[in-house]
Amino acid sequence: MLGVIDLPTYLAGLVLIVLLPGPNSLYVLSVAARKGVRTGYTAAAGVWCGDTVLMTLSAAGVASLLQANAVLFGIVKYAGAGYLTWLAIGMLRAAWAMWRARREPVARSTEPEAEAGERHFRRALVISLFNPKAILFFVAFFVQFVDPGYAYPALSFVVLGAFAQLASVLYLTALIFSGTRLAAAFRRRKRLSAGATTAAGALFLGFAVKLTLASA
């Protein structure tokens, strides 16, 4: 079909890959739990845009360049790890502030919704883009399912990418609505909210360490 071979195997592998926890899905879940459905989808849109860029770069051969150039790969890797660490520190500081204010009444955020949404979109986009392993993965995975004899390989990548984005939309939607259910509990129990934010920050630190140890 349009130069795509062994589509059932691709879809089965795609489902397993999408379900693996990572910084993208964790960030969307945390945003939805704290800010609600609309802002959760704003963050998810950043992930989808970032994934689209990565798929395009992969199809263009940029991943092969990263794989061949250790210095360039290191720059992207450490920049991504640094950004994840910065986000983790921000989450841990927010968790500490929640813990200190656990006996105070809940205060509504004074940050304009449009500005907050734009910030979450940018953060999700950068988290998605600064992931060299994802670029390498897209190439290594996609190429296996593209017919080398097909006259229009770009169309094959579009089909594969469309399935990947559909799977991502369904998965992140499930996370967003799961997050909004958690939000009510977080509003009632500041200790729970502080604990969950601390756990998210610790996981982001773990992602940063994992990315630092990644190799081309």
Side-chain angles (χ1 to χ4, degrees):
M1 182 186 72
L2 300 176
V4 176
I5 57 177
D6 204 1
L7 183 59
T9 301
Y10 170 76
L11 294 178
L14 180 63
V15 170
L16 293 176
I17 291 159
V18 168
L19 291 178
L20 287 175
N24 291 350
S25 56
L26 177 60
Y27 184 71
V28 171
L29 177 62
S30 66
V31 168
R34 290 182 288 112
K35 301 293 183 178
V37 171
R38 177 180 293 183
T39 311
Y41 271 112
T42 300
V47 171
W48 297 327
C49 288
D51 286 348
T52 300
V53 172
L54 290 182
M55 293 176 194
T56 303
L57 293 176
S58 298
V62 173
S64 299
L65 176 62
L66 281 176
Q67 195 168 23
N69 191 321
V71 174
L72 183 59
F73 181 85
I75 291 173
V76 175
K77 177 176 71 173
Y78 288 114
Y83 188 73
L84 290 178
T85 301
W86 179 75
L87 287 179
I89 292 173
M91 290 180 178
L92 294 174
R93 290 178 62 186
W96 176 244
M98 292 176 193
W99 178 259
R100 293 183 62 183
R102 62 189 182 279
R103 292 188 177 88
E104 298 175 4
V106 178
R108 294 186 60 86
S109 173
T110 58
E111 182 179 21
E113 185 175 351
E115 181 180 341
E118 182 181 353
R119 175 168 54 85
H120 291 305
F121 175 87
R122 289 199 308 266
R123 286 187 176 180
L125 177 64
V126 175
I127 290 172
S128 180
L129 289 177
F130 275 111
N131 191 348
K133 295 299 290 185
I135 301 175
L136 300 177
F137 164 78
F138 277 129
V139 163
F141 192 63
F142 279 17
V143 170
Q144 299 178 43
F145 301 95
V146 175
D147 184 357
Y150 188 64
Y152 307 102
L155 185 58
S156 305
F157 279 100
V158 169
V159 172
L160 295 173
F163 279 115
Q165 291 288 49
L166 176 61
S168 180
V169 167
L170 295 176
Y171 179 55
L172 292 184
T173 294
L175 290 183
I176 287 169
F177 282 96
S178 298
T180 55
R181 292 193 174 190
L182 294 174
F186 288 166
R187 282 193 293 267
R188 292 193 304 268
R189 303 176 182 177
K190 288 189 176 183
R191 291 184 180 182
L192 177 62
S193 180
T197 305
T198 300
L203 285 173
F204 266 80
L205 280 177
F207 290 134
V209 172
K210 183 179 179 180
L211 181 55
T212 301
L213 299 176
S215 62

